[in-house]
Amino acid sequence: MAELLGRPRLDVESCESTQALVDTTLGEGAIVVADHQTAGRGRLGRSWEAPAGTAILCSVLLKPPSERHAPELSLVAGVAVADTLERATGLSVQIKWPNDVMLRRRKVAGCLAEGREGAVVLGIGVNVNQTSDELPENAGSLRTLTGRAWDREELLASLLDDLEGRYAEWREGGLDAVYDGLAPRDFLRGRRVSVDGTSGVASKIDRDGRLEIEVGHGNVVTVESGEVAYER
């Protein structure tokens, strides 16, 4: 059971976004959990919405050491989500750079690390019990991909436990310390991709959390962030 993350906990029935409700004056590990978000946020201003009572929607307050690169926490959280879902389902889970979690080639979760007032608010959304008609195109839920419903509270408890472990590793040794959970799950590796005008074949997520793209003639371009399109 997580000792650092998950307390104090604020549960709300509905809110615009759990990210906005996190009080950064609280101690590290404070969490906001919502049953429903009306304006949940993903990367690049996208929305993250789900019918009430179907998804894990939470934001955790972290206060990492200043020497760590806080944006890496989206990948650290992705590794923790993958750990949880693999153990629960017995299926292989992959991470799509920079912040998505994939099951059977469908997005089932997203992680968003936002810096705020010297802290990091880490938002995590996991599609759990949505039906196919409640999901965006190319997304999946644990229910649609495994054929059964899941207990969201049990999954959240497991996720916080896994996140606490991976976060502790990252605090101690940076992204390199969690690379064992990242590199083998690299969803984009070997796929043709385009990232903000750079096109080629994704070769790997490096140990600094950047995506390496082979653009031809032995040349490799490294990108730190961006919008990814890939061949399915």
Side-chain angles (χ1 to χ4, degrees):
M1 183 175 182
E3 297 181 359
L4 171 66
L5 305 185
R7 289 182 295 273
R9 173 170 167 168
L10 172 64
D11 287 271
V12 295
E13 183 175 340
S14 181
C15 65
E16 288 191 355
S17 170
T18 57
Q19 292 287 89
L21 294 183
V22 174
D23 181 354
T24 57
T25 67
L26 295 174
E28 185 171 50
I31 187 172
V32 176
V33 181
D35 205 45
H36 180 233
Q37 290 183 142
T38 60
R41 297 204 305 275
R43 287 189 71 249
L44 305 175
R46 292 193 189 91
S47 64
W48 181 285
E49 297 182 10
T54 62
I56 292 173
L57 305 167
C58 67
S59 293
V60 183
L61 178 63
L62 301 177
K63 298 186 176 181
S66 59
E67 66 270 20
R68 294 287 168 243
H69 188 49
E72 294 173 354
L73 284 168
S74 291
L75 289 170
V76 175
V79 171
V81 172
D83 290 341
T84 297
L85 298 187
E86 281 193 353
R87 188 172 58 252
T89 66
L91 300 171
S92 295
V93 178
Q94 294 177 291
I95 296 168
K96 183 174 80 66
W97 184 92
N99 71 325
D100 291 340
V101 180
M102 313 289 285
L103 177 61
R104 291 180 167 168
R105 298 187 298 279
R106 300 282 182 173
K107 177 179 176 177
V108 294
C111 310
L112 180 66
E114 293 184 325
R116 191 190 308 164
E117 300 165 1
V120 176
V121 179
L122 179 62
I124 300 175
V126 184
N127 295 334
V128 181
N129 289 325
Q130 294 101 313
T131 58
S132 57
D133 61 341
E134 294 171 333
L135 290 163
E137 185 179 3
N138 298 318
S141 69
L142 296 189
R143 180 176 179 177
T144 62
L145 296 170
T146 66
R148 53 159 287 195
W150 295 81
D151 186 310
R152 290 182 300 145
E153 192 60 35
E154 287 183 5
L155 286 172
L156 177 58
S158 294
L159 172 55
L160 291 175
D161 196 29
D162 286 322
L163 180 60
E164 183 162 305
R166 291 297 190 176
Y167 177 58
E169 293 172 347
W170 176 81
R171 282 179 61 103
E172 182 67 25
L175 196 64
D176 193 60
V178 300
Y179 200 68
D180 65 310
L182 179 61
R185 292 172 169 147
D186 186 354
F187 177 79
L188 293 177
R189 185 173 55 206
R191 295 179 186 268
R192 292 204 62 83
V193 300
S194 178
V195 183
D196 296 342
T198 298
S199 298
V201 177
S203 58
K204 67 177 179 179
I205 302 170
D206 72 14
R207 291 178 181 268
D208 292 314
R210 302 170 300 187
L211 184 67
E212 292 188 0
I213 303 173
E214 298 175 2
V215 295
H217 308 291
N219 296 317
V220 176
V221 174
T222 302
V223 292
E224 293 194 5
S225 63
E227 175 72 357
V228 182
Y230 65 95
E231 291 186 357
R232 298 185 182 275

